[in-house]
């Protein structure tokens, strides 16, 4: 799974690095280092295929799709956890806002009642 994760990361970063290389934003040394890292990952993947085939014949052909599925599952689990955390934060914010609104509504109601009482007193005083 780790080898597949690194391969995906290299594949995602390569176009941006190529663009930086074309514009001269990075040097040849960094591009060479990236190429070496890419070759190392490919060699590691070949080792994984060989090792997988020692456990079960032709398993090397399916192990990467299985690893990719497992990685996707892990991403989905992480996203679910993040979504739950965000929901908790939003729920706390919503509850705080509701509490503030209730407090403000109560203050407004009390103020209206005071004003009504004052108007009644003024009306009685005029009579």
């Amino acid at each position: 799974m780790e080898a597949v994760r690194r391969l995906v990361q290299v594949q995602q970063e390569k176009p941006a690095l190529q663009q930086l290389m074309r514009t001269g934003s990075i040097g040849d040394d960094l591009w060479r280092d990236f190429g070496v890292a890419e070759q190392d990952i490919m060699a590691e993947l070949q080792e994984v295929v060989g090792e997988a085939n020692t456990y079960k014949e032709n398993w090397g052909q399916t192990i990467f799709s299985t690893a990719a599925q497992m990685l996707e599952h892990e991403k989905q689990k992480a996203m679910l956890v993040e979504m739950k955390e965000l929901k908790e934060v939003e729920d706390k914010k919503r509850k705080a806002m509701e509490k503030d609104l209730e407090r403000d509504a109560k203050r407004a109601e009390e103020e209206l009642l005071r004003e009504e009482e004052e108007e009644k007193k003024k009306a009685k005083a005029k009579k």
Side-chain angles (χ1 to χ4, degrees):
M1 279 176 50
E2 183 60 25
V4 171
R5 186 195 62 75
R6 282 187 295 208
L7 177 64
V8 168
Q9 185 177 6
V10 165
Q11 289 173 342
Q12 289 173 344
E13 292 175 359
K14 190 172 186 175
L17 202 56
Q18 285 174 326
Q19 180 63 29
L20 290 171
M21 180 68 182
R22 280 191 288 263
T23 61
S25 299
I26 61 169
D28 292 336
D29 293 343
L30 182 58
W31 181 250
R32 266 192 303 269
D33 290 346
F34 184 82
V36 168
E38 187 176 27
Q39 289 173 355
D40 288 346
I41 291 170
M42 296 306 288
E44 183 178 355
L45 292 174
Q46 290 300 319
E47 288 177 28
V48 169
V49 168
E51 187 177 341
N53 286 333
T54 64
Y55 291 113
K56 184 177 179 184
E57 190 176 326
N58 294 322
W59 195 35
Q61 296 175 3
T62 60
I63 193 166
F64 295 116
S65 64
T66 302
Q69 289 172 356
M70 292 170 68
L71 284 170
E72 187 61 31
H73 179 72
E74 283 185 356
K75 280 186 200 176
Q76 289 176 356
K77 280 177 30 179
M79 285 179 61
L80 182 61
V81 167
E82 184 179 351
M83 287 171 52
K84 284 181 181 180
E85 290 170 355
L86 288 172
K87 183 183 181 305
E88 288 174 6
V89 168
E90 291 300 317
D91 285 347
K92 286 179 184 178
K93 286 180 184 178
R94 183 183 44 79
K95 286 179 183 178
M97 286 177 54
E98 287 173 355
K99 190 175 181 179
D100 289 346
L101 287 172
E102 287 175 14
R103 185 189 67 235
D104 292 346
K106 186 174 181 173
R107 284 182 186 165
E109 182 182 10
E110 289 171 355
E111 181 66 27
L112 283 173
L113 289 172
R114 274 196 293 273
E115 289 176 5
E116 286 178 0
E117 287 295 320
E118 287 176 18
E119 287 178 16
K120 287 180 184 177
K121 287 179 185 177
K122 288 179 184 177
K124 280 186 182 182
K126 287 184 181 180
K127 289 185 182 182

